[in-house]
Coordinates of all heavy atoms in Angstrom, one line a residue:
M436 N -5.0 1.8 34.6 CA -5.0 1.8 33.2 C -6.4 2.2 32.7 O -7.4 1.8 33.2 CB -4.7 0.4 32.7 CG -4.5 0.2 31.3 SD -3.6 -1.3 31.1 CE -3.4 -1.6 29.5
T437 N -6.4 2.9 31.6 CA -7.7 3.3 31.0 C -8.3 2.2 30.1 O -7.5 1.3 29.7 CB -7.5 4.6 30.2 OG1 -6.5 4.4 29.3 CG2 -7.2 5.8 31.1
D438 N -9.6 2.3 29.9 CA -10.2 1.3 29.0 C -10.4 2.0 27.6 O -10.5 3.2 27.5 CB -11.5 0.9 29.5 CG -11.4 0.1 30.8 OD1 -10.4 -0.6 30.9 OD2 -12.3 0.2 31.6
G439 N -10.3 1.2 26.5 CA -10.5 1.7 25.2 C -9.2 1.8 24.4 O -8.1 1.7 25.0
N440 N -9.3 2.1 23.1 CA -8.2 2.2 22.3 C -7.7 3.6 22.2 O -8.5 4.5 22.2 CB -8.5 1.6 20.9 CG -8.8 0.1 20.9 OD1 -8.5 -0.6 21.8 ND2 -9.6 -0.3 20.0
S441 N -6.4 3.7 22.0 CA -5.8 5.0 21.8 C -4.7 4.9 20.7 O -4.1 3.8 20.5 CB -5.1 5.5 23.0 OG -6.0 5.6 24.1
Q442 N -4.5 6.0 20.0 CA -3.4 6.0 19.0 C -2.8 7.4 19.0 O -3.4 8.4 19.0 CB -4.0 5.8 17.6 CG -3.0 5.7 16.5 CD -3.6 5.4 15.1 OE1 -4.3 6.3 14.6 NE2 -3.4 4.2 14.6
L443 N -1.4 7.3 19.1 CA -0.6 8.6 19.1 C 0.2 8.6 17.8 O 1.0 7.6 17.5 CB 0.3 8.6 20.3 CG 1.2 9.8 20.3 CD1 0.4 11.0 20.8 CD2 2.4 9.6 21.3
I444 N 0.0 9.6 17.0 CA 0.8 9.8 15.8 C 2.0 10.7 16.1 O 1.8 11.9 16.5 CB 0.0 10.4 14.6 CG1 -1.3 9.6 14.3 CG2 0.9 10.5 13.4 CD1 -1.0 8.2 13.9
V445 N 3.2 10.2 16.1 CA 4.4 10.9 16.5 C 4.7 12.1 15.6 O 4.8 11.9 14.4 CB 5.6 10.0 16.7 CG1 6.8 10.8 17.1 CG2 5.3 8.9 17.6
E446 N 4.9 13.3 16.2 CA 5.3 14.5 15.4 C 6.7 14.8 15.7 O 7.4 15.4 14.8 CB 4.3 15.6 15.7 CG 2.9 15.4 15.3 CD 2.0 16.5 15.7 OE1 2.4 17.5 16.1 OE2 0.7 16.2 15.5
R447 N 7.2 14.6 16.9 CA 8.6 14.9 17.2 C 9.0 14.0 18.4 O 8.2 13.6 19.2 CB 8.8 16.3 17.5 CG 8.0 16.8 18.7 CD 8.2 18.3 18.9 NE 9.4 18.6 19.6 CZ 9.9 19.8 19.9 NH1 9.2 20.8 19.5 NH2 11.0 19.9 20.5
V448 N 10.3 13.8 18.4 CA 11.0 13.0 19.5 C 12.1 13.9 20.0 O 13.0 14.3 19.2 CB 11.5 11.7 19.0 CG1 12.2 10.9 20.1 CG2 10.4 10.8 18.4
D449 N 12.1 14.1 21.3 CA 13.2 14.8 21.9 C 14.0 14.0 22.9 O 13.4 13.1 23.5 CB 12.6 16.1 22.6 CG 12.0 17.0 21.7 OD1 12.7 17.6 20.8 OD2 10.7 17.2 21.7
Y450 N 15.2 14.3 23.1 CA 16.1 13.6 24.0 C 16.8 14.7 24.9 O 17.4 15.6 24.3 CB 17.1 12.8 23.2 CG 18.2 12.1 24.1 CD1 17.9 11.0 24.8 CD2 19.4 12.7 24.2 CE1 18.9 10.4 25.6 CE2 20.4 12.1 25.0 CZ 20.1 10.9 25.7 OH 21.0 10.3 26.5
L451 N 16.8 14.5 26.2 CA 17.4 15.5 27.0 C 18.6 14.8 27.7 O 18.4 13.8 28.4 CB 16.4 16.0 28.1 CG 15.2 16.8 27.6 CD1 14.3 17.2 28.7 CD2 15.7 18.0 26.8
P452 N 19.8 15.3 27.6 CA 20.9 14.7 28.3 C 20.7 14.6 29.8 O 21.3 13.7 30.4 CB 22.1 15.7 27.9 CG 21.7 16.3 26.6 CD 20.2 16.4 26.7
S453 N 19.9 15.5 30.4 CA 19.7 15.5 31.8 C 18.8 14.4 32.2 O 18.7 14.0 33.4 CB 19.1 16.8 32.3 OG 17.9 17.1 31.7
R454 N 18.1 13.7 31.2 CA 17.2 12.6 31.5 C 17.5 11.5 30.5 O 16.7 11.2 29.6 CB 15.7 13.0 31.4 CG 15.5 14.0 32.6 CD 14.1 14.7 32.5 NE 13.1 13.8 33.1 CZ 11.8 14.2 33.1 NH1 11.4 15.3 32.6 NH2 10.9 13.4 33.7
P455 N 18.7 10.9 30.5 CA 19.2 10.0 29.5 C 18.4 8.7 29.3 O 18.6 8.0 28.3 CB 20.6 9.8 29.9 CG 20.7 10.0 31.3 CD 19.7 11.0 31.6
D456 N 17.6 8.3 30.3 CA 16.9 7.0 30.2 C 15.7 7.1 29.4 O 15.1 6.1 29.1 CB 16.6 6.5 31.6 CG 17.8 6.2 32.4 OD1 18.9 6.0 31.8 OD2 17.8 6.2 33.7
W457 N 15.2 8.3 29.0 CA 13.9 8.5 28.4 C 14.0 9.3 27.1 O 14.9 10.1 26.9 CB 12.9 9.2 29.3 CG 12.5 8.4 30.5 CD1 12.7 7.1 30.7 CD2 11.9 8.9 31.7 NE1 12.2 6.7 32.0 CE2 11.7 7.9 32.6 CE3 11.5 10.2 32.0 CZ2 11.1 8.1 33.8 CZ3 11.0 10.4 33.3 CH2 10.7 9.3 34.1
I458 N 13.1 9.0 26.2 CA 12.8 9.9 25.0 C 11.4 10.6 25.3 O 10.5 9.9 25.8 CB 12.9 9.2 23.7 CG1 12.0 8.0 23.6 CG2 14.3 8.8 23.3 CD1 11.9 7.3 22.3
F459 N 11.3 11.8 24.8 CA 10.1 12.5 24.9 C 9.4 12.5 23.6 O 9.9 13.0 22.6 CB 10.3 14.0 25.3 CG 10.9 14.2 26.7 CD1 12.2 13.8 27.0 CD2 10.2 14.7 27.7 CE1 12.8 13.9 28.2 CE2 10.7 14.8 29.0 CZ 12.0 14.4 29.3
V460 N 8.2 11.8 23.5 CA 7.5 11.6 22.3 C 6.3 12.4 22.2 O 5.4 12.2 23.0 CB 7.2 10.1 22.1 CG1 6.5 9.8 20.8 CG2 8.5 9.2 22.3
T461 N 6.2 13.4 21.3 CA 5.0 14.3 21.2 C 4.3 14.0 19.9 O 4.9 13.8 18.9 CB 5.5 15.7 21.3 OG1 6.3 16.0 22.5 CG2 4.4 16.7 21.2
G462 N 3.0 14.1 20.0 CA 2.1 13.9 18.9 C 0.7 14.1 19.2 O 0.3 14.6 20.2
T463 N -0.2 13.8 18.2 CA -1.6 13.9 18.4 C -2.2 12.6 18.8 O -2.0 11.6 18.1 CB -2.2 14.4 17.0 OG1 -1.6 15.6 16.6 CG2 -3.7 14.6 17.2
L464 N -2.9 12.7 19.9 CA -3.6 11.5 20.5 C -5.0 11.4 20.1 O -5.7 12.4 20.2 CB -3.4 11.5 22.0 CG -4.0 10.3 22.8 CD1 -3.2 9.0 22.5 CD2 -4.1 10.6 24.3
S465 N -5.5 10.3 19.6 CA -6.9 10.1 19.3 C -7.4 8.9 20.1 O -6.6 8.0 20.5 CB -7.1 9.8 17.8 OG -6.4 8.7 17.4
G466 N -8.7 8.9 20.4 CA -9.2 7.8 21.2 C -9.2 8.2 22.7 O -9.3 9.4 23.0
E467 N -9.1 7.2 23.5 CA -9.1 7.4 25.0 C -7.8 8.0 25.5 O -6.7 7.8 24.9 CB -9.4 6.1 25.7 CG -10.7 5.5 25.3 CD -11.9 6.3 25.7 OE1 -11.9 6.8 26.9 OE2 -12.8 6.4 24.9
P468 N -7.8 8.7 26.6 CA -6.6 9.2 27.2 C -5.7 8.0 27.6 O -6.2 6.9 27.8 CB -7.1 9.9 28.5 CG -8.5 10.2 28.3 CD -9.0 9.1 27.4
V469 N -4.4 8.3 27.7 CA -3.4 7.2 28.1 C -3.0 7.6 29.5 O -3.1 8.7 30.0 CB -2.2 7.1 27.2 CG1 -2.7 6.6 25.8 CG2 -1.5 8.5 27.0
S470 N -2.4 6.6 30.2 CA -1.9 6.8 31.6 C -0.5 6.2 31.7 O -0.1 5.3 30.9 CB -2.8 6.0 32.6 OG -4.1 6.5 32.5
V471 N 0.2 6.7 32.7 CA 1.5 6.1 33.1 C 1.3 4.6 33.4 O 0.3 4.2 34.1 CB 2.1 6.8 34.3 CG1 3.4 6.1 34.8 CG2 2.4 8.3 33.9
G472 N 2.1 3.8 32.8 CA 2.0 2.3 33.1 C 1.3 1.6 32.0 O 1.3 0.3 31.9
D473 N 0.6 2.3 31.1 CA -0.1 1.7 30.0 C 0.9 1.0 29.1 O 1.9 1.5 28.7 CB -0.9 2.7 29.1 CG -2.2 3.1 29.8 OD1 -2.6 2.6 30.8 OD2 -2.8 4.0 29.2
E474 N 0.5 -0.2 28.6 CA 1.4 -0.9 27.6 C 0.9 -0.5 26.2 O -0.3 -0.4 25.9 CB 1.2 -2.4 27.8 CG 2.2 -3.2 26.9 CD 2.2 -4.7 27.2 OE1 2.8 -5.1 28.2 OE2 1.6 -5.4 26.4
V475 N 1.9 -0.1 25.4 CA 1.6 0.3 24.0 C 2.5 -0.5 23.0 O 3.4 -1.1 23.4 CB 2.0 1.8 23.9 CG1 1.0 2.7 24.7 CG2 3.4 2.2 24.2
S476 N 2.0 -0.4 21.8 CA 2.7 -1.1 20.7 C 3.2 -0.1 19.7 O 2.4 0.8 19.3 CB 1.7 -2.1 20.0 OG 2.3 -2.7 18.9
I477 N 4.4 -0.2 19.3 CA 5.0 0.8 18.4 C 5.2 0.0 17.1 O 5.9 -1.0 17.0 CB 6.4 1.3 18.9 CG1 6.2 2.0 20.2 CG2 7.1 2.2 17.8 CD1 7.5 2.2 21.0
R478 N 4.6 0.5 16.0 CA 4.7 -0.1 14.7 C 5.9 0.4 13.9 O 6.1 1.7 13.8 CB 3.5 0.1 13.8 CG 2.2 -0.4 14.4 CD 2.0 -1.9 14.4 NE 2.2 -2.5 13.2 CZ 2.4 -3.8 13.0 NH1 2.4 -4.6 14.1 NH2 2.6 -4.3 11.8
H479 N 6.8 -0.4 13.5 CA 7.9 0.0 12.6 C 8.1 -1.1 11.6 O 8.4 -2.2 11.9 CB 9.2 0.3 13.5 CG 9.5 -0.9 14.4 ND1 10.5 -1.8 14.2 CD2 9.0 -1.2 15.6 CE1 10.5 -2.7 15.2 NE2 9.6 -2.3 16.0
G480 N 7.9 -0.7 10.3 CA 7.9 -1.6 9.3 C 6.8 -2.6 9.4 O 5.7 -2.3 9.7
D481 N 7.2 -3.9 9.3 CA 6.1 -4.9 9.5 C 6.3 -5.6 10.9 O 5.8 -6.7 11.1 CB 6.2 -6.0 8.4 CG 7.6 -6.6 8.2 OD1 8.5 -6.2 8.9 OD2 7.7 -7.5 7.4
Q482 N 7.0 -4.9 11.8 CA 7.1 -5.4 13.1 C 6.5 -4.5 14.2 O 6.2 -3.3 13.9 CB 8.6 -5.5 13.5 CG 9.4 -6.5 12.6 CD 10.8 -6.7 13.1 OE1 11.2 -6.2 14.1 NE2 11.6 -7.4 12.3
A483 N 6.2 -5.0 15.3 CA 5.7 -4.2 16.4 C 6.6 -4.5 17.7 O 7.0 -5.6 17.9 CB 4.3 -4.6 16.7
T484 N 6.8 -3.4 18.4 CA 7.5 -3.5 19.7 C 6.6 -3.0 20.8 O 6.0 -2.0 20.7 CB 8.8 -2.6 19.6 OG1 9.7 -3.1 18.6 CG2 9.5 -2.6 21.0
R485 N 6.6 -3.8 21.9 CA 5.7 -3.4 23.0 C 6.6 -2.8 24.1 O 7.7 -3.2 24.3 CB 5.0 -4.7 23.6 CG 4.1 -5.2 22.5 CD 3.0 -6.1 22.9 NE 2.0 -5.6 23.8 CZ 0.9 -4.9 23.4 NH1 0.7 -4.6 22.1 NH2 0.0 -4.6 24.3
T486 N 6.0 -1.8 24.7 CA 6.7 -1.1 25.8 C 5.7 -0.4 26.7 O 4.5 -0.5 26.5 CB 7.7 0.0 25.2 OG1 8.5 0.5 26.3 CG2 6.9 1.2 24.6
T487 N 6.1 0.2 27.7 CA 5.3 0.8 28.7 C 5.5 2.3 28.8 O 6.7 2.8 28.7 CB 5.5 0.2 30.1 OG1 5.3 -1.2 30.0 CG2 4.6 0.8 31.2
I488 N 4.4 3.1 28.9 CA 4.6 4.6 29.1 C 5.2 4.8 30.5 O 4.6 4.4 31.5 CB 3.2 5.3 29.0 CG1 2.6 5.1 27.5 CG2 3.3 6.7 29.3 CD1 1.2 5.6 27.3
K489 N 6.3 5.5 30.5 CA 7.0 5.8 31.8 C 6.5 7.0 32.5 O 6.5 7.1 33.7 CB 8.5 5.9 31.5 CG 9.1 4.8 30.8 CD 9.0 3.5 31.6 CE 9.6 2.3 30.9 NZ 9.3 1.1 31.5
S490 N 6.1 8.0 31.7 CA 5.6 9.3 32.3 C 4.8 10.0 31.2 O 5.0 9.7 30.0 CB 6.8 10.1 32.8 OG 6.3 11.2 33.5
I491 N 4.0 11.0 31.6 CA 3.3 11.9 30.7 C 3.7 13.3 31.1 O 3.5 13.6 32.3 CB 1.8 11.6 30.7 CG1 1.5 10.2 30.3 CG2 1.1 12.6 29.8 CD1 0.1 9.7 30.5
E492 N 4.1 14.1 30.2 CA 4.4 15.5 30.4 C 3.1 16.3 30.5 O 2.3 16.2 29.6 CB 5.3 16.0 29.4 CG 6.7 15.5 29.5 CD 7.5 16.0 30.7 OE1 7.7 17.2 30.9 OE2 7.8 15.1 31.5
I493 N 3.0 17.2 31.5 CA 1.8 18.0 31.6 C 2.0 19.3 30.9 O 1.0 20.0 30.6 CB 1.4 18.2 33.0 CG1 2.5 18.9 33.8 CG2 0.9 16.9 33.6 CD1 2.1 19.3 35.2
H494 N 3.2 19.7 30.6 CA 3.4 21.0 29.9 C 3.6 20.8 28.4 O 4.6 21.1 27.8 CB 4.7 21.7 30.5 CG 4.6 21.9 31.9 ND1 3.7 22.9 32.5 CD2 5.2 21.3 33.0 CE1 3.8 22.9 33.8 NE2 4.7 21.9 34.1
T495 N 2.5 20.4 27.8 CA 2.5 20.1 26.3 C 1.5 21.1 25.7 O 0.5 21.5 26.3 CB 2.1 18.7 26.1 OG1 3.0 17.8 26.7 CG2 2.1 18.3 24.6
R496 N 1.8 21.5 24.5 CA 1.0 22.4 23.7 C -0.5 21.9 23.7 O -0.7 20.7 23.6 CB 1.4 22.6 22.3 CG 2.8 23.1 22.1 CD 3.2 23.3 20.7 NE 3.2 22.0 20.0 CZ 3.2 21.8 18.7 NH1 3.3 22.8 17.9 NH2 3.2 20.6 18.2
P497 N -1.5 22.8 23.6 CA -2.9 22.3 23.5 C -3.0 21.4 22.3 O -2.5 21.7 21.2 CB -3.6 23.6 23.3 CG -2.8 24.7 24.0 CD -1.4 24.2 23.7
G498 N -3.8 20.3 22.4 CA -4.0 19.4 21.3 C -2.9 18.4 21.1 O -3.0 17.6 20.2
K499 N -1.9 18.5 21.9 CA -0.7 17.5 21.8 C -0.6 16.7 23.0 O -1.0 17.2 24.1 CB 0.6 18.3 21.4 CG 0.5 19.1 20.2 CD 0.2 18.3 19.0 CE 0.1 19.2 17.8 NZ -0.5 18.5 16.6
T500 N 0.1 15.6 22.9 CA 0.4 14.8 24.1 C 1.8 14.4 24.0 O 2.3 14.0 23.0 CB -0.5 13.5 24.1 OG1 -1.9 13.9 24.1 CG2 -0.2 12.6 25.2
T501 N 2.5 14.4 25.2 CA 3.9 14.0 25.2 C 4.0 12.9 26.3 O 3.6 13.1 27.4 CB 4.8 15.2 25.6 OG1 4.8 16.2 24.7 CG2 6.3 14.7 25.7
I502 N 4.5 11.7 25.8 CA 4.7 10.6 26.7 C 6.2 10.3 26.7 O 7.0 10.7 25.8 CB 4.0 9.3 26.2 CG1 4.4 8.9 24.8 CG2 2.5 9.6 26.3 CD1 3.8 7.6 24.3
L503 N 6.7 9.7 27.8 CA 8.1 9.3 27.9 C 8.2 7.8 27.8 O 7.5 7.1 28.4 CB 8.6 9.8 29.3 CG 9.1 11.3 29.3 CD1 7.9 12.2 29.1 CD2 9.8 11.6 30.6
L504 N 9.2 7.4 26.9 CA 9.4 6.0 26.7 C 10.9 5.8 26.9 O 11.7 6.7 27.0 CB 9.1 5.7 25.2 CG 7.6 5.9 24.8 CD1 7.5 5.6 23.3 CD2 6.7 5.0 25.6
D505 N 11.3 4.5 27.0 CA 12.7 4.1 27.2 C 13.5 4.7 26.1 O 13.2 4.5 24.9 CB 12.8 2.6 27.3 CG 12.3 2.0 28.6 OD1 12.4 2.7 29.6 OD2 11.7 1.0 28.5
A506 N 14.7 5.2 26.4 CA 15.6 5.8 25.4 C 16.1 4.7 24.4 O 16.4 5.1 23.2 CB 16.8 6.4 26.1
E507 N 16.1 3.5 24.7 CA 16.6 2.5 23.8 C 15.6 2.4 22.5 O 16.0 1.7 21.5 CB 16.7 1.1 24.4 CG 15.3 0.6 24.9 CD 15.4 -0.4 26.1 OE1 16.4 -0.2 26.9 OE2 14.6 -1.2 26.3
L508 N 14.5 3.0 22.6 CA 13.5 3.0 21.5 C 13.8 4.1 20.5 O 13.1 4.2 19.5 CB 12.1 3.0 22.0 CG 11.7 1.9 22.9 CD1 10.4 2.2 23.6 CD2 11.6 0.6 22.1
R509 N 14.8 4.9 20.7 CA 15.1 6.1 19.9 C 15.2 5.8 18.4 O 14.8 6.5 17.5 CB 16.4 6.7 20.4 CG 16.3 8.1 20.8 CD 17.6 8.5 21.4 NE 18.1 9.7 20.8 CZ 19.2 10.3 21.1 NH1 20.0 9.8 22.1 NH2 19.6 11.4 20.5
S510 N 15.8 4.6 18.1 CA 16.0 4.3 16.7 C 14.7 3.9 15.9 O 14.7 4.0 14.7 CB 17.0 3.1 16.6 OG 16.5 2.0 17.2
I511 N 13.7 3.5 16.6 CA 12.4 3.1 15.9 C 11.3 4.1 16.1 O 10.3 4.0 15.4 CB 12.0 1.7 16.4 CG1 11.6 1.7 17.8 CG2 13.0 0.7 16.0 CD1 10.9 0.4 18.2
V512 N 11.4 5.1 17.0 CA 10.3 6.1 17.2 C 10.8 7.3 16.6 O 11.7 8.0 17.0 CB 10.0 6.3 18.7 CG1 9.0 7.4 18.9 CG2 9.6 5.0 19.4
T513 N 10.2 7.7 15.4 CA 10.5 8.8 14.6 C 9.2 9.5 14.2 O 8.1 9.0 14.4 CB 11.3 8.5 13.4 OG1 10.5 7.6 12.6 CG2 12.6 7.8 13.7
S514 N 9.3 10.7 13.6 CA 8.1 11.4 13.1 C 7.3 10.5 12.2 O 7.9 9.9 11.3 CB 8.6 12.7 12.4 OG 7.5 13.4 11.9
G515 N 6.1 10.4 12.4 CA 5.2 9.5 11.6 C 4.9 8.2 12.2 O 4.0 7.5 11.8
T516 N 5.7 7.8 13.2 CA 5.5 6.5 13.9 C 4.1 6.5 14.5 O 3.7 7.5 15.1 CB 6.6 6.3 15.0 OG1 7.9 6.2 14.3 CG2 6.4 5.0 15.7
V517 N 3.5 5.3 14.5 CA 2.2 5.1 15.1 C 2.4 4.3 16.4 O 2.9 3.2 16.4 CB 1.2 4.4 14.2 CG1 -0.1 4.2 14.9 CG2 1.0 5.3 12.9
I518 N 1.9 4.8 17.5 CA 1.9 4.1 18.8 C 0.5 3.9 19.2 O -0.4 4.8 19.3 CB 2.6 5.0 19.9 CG1 4.1 5.3 19.4 CG2 2.6 4.3 21.2 CD1 4.8 6.2 20.3
N519 N 0.1 2.6 19.4 CA -1.2 2.1 19.8 C -1.3 1.6 21.2 O -0.4 0.9 21.6 CB -1.7 1.1 18.8 CG -1.9 1.6 17.4 OD1 -2.8 2.4 17.2 ND2 -1.2 1.1 16.5
R520 N -2.4 1.8 21.8 CA -2.8 1.2 23.0 C -4.1 0.5 22.9 O -5.1 1.2 22.5 CB -2.8 2.1 24.2 CG -3.1 1.3 25.6 CD -3.3 2.3 26.7 NE -4.3 3.3 26.4 CZ -5.6 3.1 26.7 NH1 -6.1 2.1 27.2 NH2 -6.4 4.1 26.4
Q521 N -4.2 -0.8 23.1 CA -5.5 -1.5 23.0 C -6.1 -1.6 24.4 O -5.4 -2.0 25.3 CB -5.2 -2.9 22.4 CG -4.5 -2.9 21.1 CD -5.5 -2.6 20.0 OE1 -6.6 -3.1 19.9 NE2 -5.0 -1.8 19.0
G522 N -7.3 -1.2 24.5 CA -7.9 -1.2 25.9 C -8.5 -2.5 26.2 O -8.5 -3.5 25.6

């Protein structure tokens, strides 16, 4: 796990039928890099949901980061969602 804070502002969420257990969350990451296994907090309304980064895609456009999260989070992770990791 990396040290320091990170914030990912979600720009898009993709779902692949060939990988039904995950959603692909792409956005702009600020702060420290994130790693597989990092625990993150997803803000939605006045609530927060904690989850773990399952994987990180390496074939992402320059300046963007794509992380994989559990598919059950599809209803709360949308464009504009803020995902935080506290170091």
Side-chain angles (χ1 to χ4, degrees):
M436 186 163 179
T437 55
D438 293 329
N440 297 336
S441 302
Q442 184 177 71
L443 180 78
I444 307 297
V445 177
E446 294 176 12
R447 62 185 278 176
V448 179
D449 295 296
Y450 174 80
L451 299 177
S453 62
R454 295 172 86 180
D456 294 337
W457 293 343
I458 54 174
F459 294 71
V460 180
T461 302
T463 303
L464 181 68
S465 60
E467 298 296 318
V469 292
S470 299
V471 173
D473 282 354
E474 188 172 283
V475 295
S476 176
I477 301 166
R478 300 289 307 165
H479 49 102
D481 55 356
Q482 296 184 8
T484 298
R485 299 202 59 86
T486 192
T487 302
I488 296 174
K489 303 301 181 190
S490 185
I491 299 173
E492 288 293 297
I493 59 171
H494 301 291
T495 302
R496 302 182 296 169
K499 304 299 175 192
T500 299
T501 299
I502 60 174
L503 278 65
L504 301 176
D505 290 322
E507 64 207 28
L508 299 170
R509 239 172 125 178
S510 64
I511 64 170
V512 179
T513 59
S514 180
T516 298
V517 176
I518 299 175
N519 289 297
R520 184 187 51 91
Q521 304 282 315

